[in-house]
Amino acid sequence: MLRHLDVAHDRFGLSTPFRISRGVKTAADVVTVTIAQGAVTGRGEAVPYPRYGETIEETIAAIRAIAPAIAAGLTRAELAGLLPAGAARNAVDCALWDLEARLAGTSVAALAGLPEPVALPSAITIGLDTPDAMAGAAARHAQVPLLKIKVDRSDPAAQIAAVRAAAPAPRLIVDPNESWTIDTLEVLKPHLAEWRIDLLEQPLPAGEDEALAGFDSPVPVCADEALHTAADLDALAGRYAVVNIKLDKTGGLTEALTLANTARAKGFGLMVGCMVCSSLGIAPAMLLGGQAAFVDLDGPLWLGEDRPGGVTDRDGMLSPPAPGFWGS
């Protein structure tokens, strides 16, 4: 039976601006893929990321270009040979997982040999702002298990100290989004343990992180922009202790599962992250959450309105979408 592909650009306004060292977002622009086989439909979502040279228009065009292959019954294994790792492949891969599970009358978790998703402690992100504003945001979430704070190179010591003082209990991820230099890191090194930072995420620019090989960090350093697929892992050895798996980088759940298994075998700790997206982008990633030491899947919590039936948060515990939303 032929399959029918539909691909669309959807926009979700944010309830408050999302600021990182690279800029400010006021909306989540996503590409939504629907693949129908008869009366059964699978869905997937991806966020094209300008940092990786991706645009909405080019992502949609790349997906439409493989419509004949999808119609003819393209498999997830075959997909990897048609699209590179990235947003376009992610949206199609996740739609194929969803469709496959529904056609089989089972769940994606069962197909993948994974436990069904459950509520997980997921980071609540404190966006980049003045130290006082960041402290105010942190105080409102001081009871959650895990905070993630976005910093830049302007005054990271004041930003981190303000958040830690306002929220002394949660575990803490600090994410400079590639904005630091090795000199910044050396200056802050004596304070990293003092602030009780649990993870430092991508402090130096990817491709310019060779200095991390000689840096004796008092806290684990995590690769984000420096990691896309399992093929990148060997180059990260000696520089990073943890890797951040995002489906928009890996090109979908299929490669993300391979990456997780390979990373663990090579001794890396795991983090599962996301872009600012809807719950359709988060549901597949939650399947990896149980394997990760750090989960950062709060993208939909920034939206003014999510897709109906999506994930829910209660005091930093993220619960899966309603049954039937994706993958079940």
Side-chain angles (χ1 to χ4, degrees), residues 29-296:
D29 288 286
V30 309
V31 171
T32 306
V33 165
T34 303
I35 302 175
Q37 182 170 323
V40 181
T41 298
R43 299 186 301 162
E45 176 187 294
V47 180
Y49 200 34
R51 166 66 180 80
Y52 305 131
E54 297 175 325
T55 67
I56 291 287
E57 295 76 16
E58 290 172 349
T59 299
I60 289 175
I63 294 169
R64 286 179 174 159
I66 65 167
I70 292 173
L74 176 76
T75 66
R76 289 182 287 103
E78 293 166 340
L79 174 64
L82 294 183
L83 291 175
R89 195 167 93 192
N90 178 30
V92 176
D93 181 78
C94 290
L96 288 173
W97 272 106
D98 191 25
L99 178 65
E100 184 179 344
R102 294 178 191 277
L103 288 170
T106 186
S107 67
V108 170
L111 288 177
L114 297 171
E116 296 295 333
V118 297
L120 297 166
S122 176
I124 298 297
T125 302
I126 306 300
L128 178 63
D129 210 322
T130 65
D132 284 347
M134 293 174 71
R140 292 190 291 273
H141 298 290
Q143 79 287 358
V144 305
L146 178 63
L147 284 178
K148 175 173 175 174
I149 64 173
K150 296 288 191 177
V151 300
D152 60 9
R153 200 164 56 185
S154 64
D155 197 355
Q159 294 161 349
I160 299 167
V163 168
R164 180 45 94 195
R171 293 193 301 159
L172 190 62
I173 302 171
V174 172
D175 186 7
N177 284 109
E178 305 182 278
S179 65
W180 290 1
T181 66
I182 192 62
D183 290 338
T184 309
L185 201 47
E186 291 285 2
V187 169
L188 295 177
K189 178 179 175 178
H191 305 289
L192 298 179
E194 170 192 337
W195 292 320
R196 291 180 291 116
I197 295 171
D198 290 83
L199 192 69
L200 179 60
E201 186 179 351
Q202 198 68 54
L204 308 186
E208 301 176 23
D209 56 0
E210 61 278 355
L212 290 175
F215 181 70
D216 182 21
S217 178
V219 303
V221 181
C222 176
D224 180 4
E225 287 87 349
L227 170 80
H228 291 256
T229 68
D232 299 321
L233 288 169
D234 286 344
L236 306 182
R239 301 182 185 188
Y240 300 95
V242 179
V243 293
N244 187 354
I245 301 173
K246 293 179 180 176
L247 272 61
D248 279 310
K249 296 187 299 176
T250 66
L253 180 60
T254 302
E255 171 62 24
L257 294 171
T258 298
L259 172 55
N261 290 334
T262 308
R264 280 200 309 270
K266 290 180 179 291
F268 291 98
L270 300 185
M271 175 179 179
V272 177
C274 67
M275 308 300 186
V276 180
C277 61
S278 87
S279 286
L280 185 56
I282 296 301
M286 286 200 76
L287 293 175
L288 294 167
Q291 306 177 37
F294 299 91
V295 176
D296 176 27

